[in-house]
Amino acid sequence: IVPLALAWDLGASRWSAEQRVRFANDPANLLAVAGKSNQDKGDKQPALWMPANRAFWCQYAMQYIEVLRGYGLPVDEPSVPVLREATGTCPTS
């Protein structure tokens, strides 16, 4: 969900090796996807890439935010409006 290189740029560079390994293997941050989708996403933040399936935006955004929060990482500024839009697709009831 949160690319390793992006996490590094957002603050993981200051983590211990143990914490970086935990992040890289955290099931909350892993998602099985087709190879093409994974290649398209690469190390991009939500401002530059969101899933093609808009029906998945809510789940993707919520999981992305939770992973960042769980590891004390900030949301990059350009991704804030994109994540707001994505969470706006979440069911309200």
Side-chain angles (χ1 to χ4, degrees):
I1 298 288
V2 178
L4 298 177
L6 179 61
W8 183 268
D9 293 343
L10 295 175
S13 60
R14 296 184 298 274
W15 294 348
S16 67
E18 180 181 320
Q19 188 172 9
R20 289 194 300 269
V21 168
R22 185 168 51 99
F23 179 84
N25 294 292
D26 187 338
N29 195 35
L30 298 173
L31 185 64
V33 297
K36 172 113 173 71
S37 293
N38 194 42
Q39 290 172 345
D40 290 347
K41 178 184 178 195
D43 292 332
K44 297 178 182 103
Q45 68 266 40
L48 299 176
W49 184 90
M50 284 293 286
N53 181 356
R54 289 182 65 93
F56 185 61
W57 277 23
C58 171
Q59 181 180 337
Y60 181 84
M62 296 302 286
Q63 197 167 345
Y64 186 93
I65 292 164
E66 284 303 311
V67 168
L68 289 180
R69 183 178 293 150
Y71 286 90
L73 296 172
V75 176
D76 62 288
E77 192 62 35
S79 293
V80 170
V82 174
L83 291 169
R84 278 197 186 118
E85 178 184 354
T87 58
T89 68
C90 295
T92 57
S93 55

